[in-house]
Amino acid sequence: MSRVCSAPNCGKVTTSNLKCPICLKNGRNEFFCNSTCFRGSFAQHKAIHPKEGCETYDPYPEYNYRGDLRPCFPLSPRREIPDHIVKPDYAQNGEPVSELKNDRTNKIKVLTGDEIVKMREVCKLGREILDLAAAAAKPGVTTDEIDRIVHEASIERGGYPSPLNYFNYPKSVCTSVNEIVCHGIPDQRKLQDGDIINIDVSFYKDGFHADLNETYYVGEKAKNDKDLVRLVETTRESLDKCIEIIKPGVPIREFGNIIQKHADENNVSVIRTYCGHGVGELFHCQPEVPHYANNKAIGVCKPGICFTIEPMLNLGSYRDVLWPDGWTSSTADGKPSAQFEHTLLVTEDGVEILTARTANSPGGPVKRI
């Protein structure tokens, strides 16, 4: 493998011998292009440094957390990508240039027949990767271990884990536990009986991205919590209800009305900060798919367009707050949140769930208590 710069906002191939002295002391070789890369990235890079006198630690002890969950550092070093893996444009420096250019056009792409074949394949592989990760989500397993599984499974299938270095995101998967709404960064915390965890897998191969996630009960305790089951199953059902109505001519804005209605009927709230999106050659693109009622989303379903619906529902307030890491979104009141996502292709007479569960997929619906 080529030696790449360890600066999160660089990632370029380098022949430099400049190493982080703290990493070197701890038996790790972390190289940097030059002193500018090292100094400019140190605030982020130090997340992988152990803290003297303790095995794990909270890097933001002064932060006003809203629930019981805490980040559990140090993070593991950035996982490597072999040279033969074809990478998206942001893999080098974190900036998805092609997405940013496309955002100016506001166009919704219609896939060709050949592109649909590639999307089917990459989504099938994405489902395999999520199922492997979900099978490992048991008490005592760290979310960093789930990241390792996703990363290695992506490489084994000849593709790239889409989240890695996307706007400098440091890991290969998002793992959102309990009150975390989305974009949780895998770390050293061990899953506990009674947790719920959302595993959000995105996978890039042959020029196309798959995007899917599910929320899973960890152990048996969570399945016996009436409110948690109500939250998770309502979220699952809200996505299913949206999929039932997809066909040419259906307005994109209608999905938010369906999700909001089902959420209200089950006394849970709908996150408004994040939405579904177009997906394909770009990780995120048009159309935007809000999940709340009376939204102003543009566009209608047409054969050949591909997008995600990914409702995020909360037991308490719909409001969310961001942790100091700039990624982890938590509910504002510390109450649990759940999410489900599929990549969907509009057909001539309905919809194809490209990331559909298989007969052997872990998880699945649980009967309400």
Side-chain angles (χ1 to χ4, degrees), residues 274-341:
Y274 306 97
C275 64
H277 53 87
V279 63
E281 291 177 303
L282 301 175
F283 192 179
H284 300 91
C285 56
Q286 297 297 328
E288 290 190 351
V289 188
H291 303 122
Y292 54 89
N294 302 317
N295 65 76
K296 306 299 181 184
I298 297 171
V300 298
C301 293
K302 296 178 182 178
I305 72 169
C306 200
F307 58 87
T308 72
I309 303 176
E310 46 189 292
M312 289 154 261
L313 306 185
N314 301 343
L315 267 183
S317 168
Y318 73 89
R319 298 187 182 278
D320 63 292
V321 296
L322 200 61
W323 279 8
D325 60 31
W327 281 104
T328 306
S329 173
S330 165
T331 56
D333 55 11
K335 293 184 178 180
S337 182
Q339 180 185 17
F340 286 84
E341 174 185 26

Side-chain angles (χ1 to χ4, degrees), residues 9 73 90 154:
N9 58 350
F73 278 34
Y90 55 81
S154 299

Side-chain angles (χ1 to χ4, degrees), residues 75-137:
L75 296 183
S76 59
R78 175 171 163 168
R79 303 188 194 279
E80 295 184 340
I81 301 290
D83 293 341
H84 72 274
I85 297 294
V86 177
K87 306 167 184 65
D89 60 358
Y90 55 81
Q92 281 289 343
N93 61 12
E95 185 176 14
V97 175
S98 53
E99 272 190 30
L100 298 173
K101 288 181 178 178
N102 181 75
D103 285 346
R104 301 172 195 153
T105 70
N106 213 32
K107 291 181 180 178
I108 300 175
K109 180 175 174 61
V110 176
L111 301 181
T112 66
D114 288 343
E115 290 170 336
I116 288 172
V117 170
K118 290 181 179 179
M119 277 299 291
R120 285 191 181 117
E121 179 60 20
V122 75
C123 286
K124 174 178 174 288
L125 296 174
R127 166 53 64 181
E128 290 179 5
I129 295 166
L130 177 58
D131 286 352
L132 285 170

Side-chain angles (χ1 to χ4, degrees), residues 96-243:
V97 175
S98 53
E99 272 190 30
L100 298 173
K101 288 181 178 178
N102 181 75
D103 285 346
R104 301 172 195 153
T105 70
N106 213 32
K107 291 181 180 178
I108 300 175
K109 180 175 174 61
V110 176
L111 301 181
T112 66
D114 288 343
E115 290 170 336
I116 288 172
V117 170
K118 290 181 179 179
M119 277 299 291
R120 285 191 181 117
E121 179 60 20
V122 75
C123 286
K124 174 178 174 288
L125 296 174
R127 166 53 64 181
E128 290 179 5
I129 295 166
L130 177 58
D131 286 352
L132 285 170
K138 298 176 181 178
V141 174
T142 66
T143 50
D144 186 67
E145 172 64 8
I146 292 174
D147 181 73
R148 183 194 65 78
I149 290 169
V150 169
H151 186 91
E152 293 181 1
S154 299
I155 301 303
E156 288 169 3
R157 285 159 179 76
Y160 182 93
S162 303
L164 185 62
N165 211 35
Y166 181 74
F167 286 110
N168 304 134
Y169 183 78
K171 295 294 179 180
S172 297
V173 69
C174 296
T175 52
S176 302
V177 177
N178 297 343
E179 71 265 26
I180 304 307
V181 176
C182 60
H183 305 155
I185 297 174
D187 60 17
Q188 303 303 320
R189 181 187 182 272
K190 294 178 180 179
L191 294 173
Q192 301 173 9
D193 190 3
D195 286 343
I196 56 172
I197 180 173
N198 179 271
I199 304 175
D200 193 343
V201 165
S202 306
F203 178 64
Y204 178 77
K205 185 179 181 181
D206 294 334
F208 289 84
H209 295 267
D211 198 4
L212 68 160
N213 74 56
E214 292 192 30
T215 298
Y216 302 92
Y217 303 95
V218 180
E220 294 301 313
K221 187 176 178 181
K223 294 178 183 177
N224 293 310
D225 185 314
K226 181 178 179 181
D227 288 333
L228 275 184
V229 171
R230 172 168 56 88
L231 170 67
V232 174
E233 299 309 318
T234 298
T235 311
R236 190 194 313 270
E237 293 159 1
S238 69
L239 174 56
D240 292 342
K241 286 178 178 293
C242 289
I243 293 172

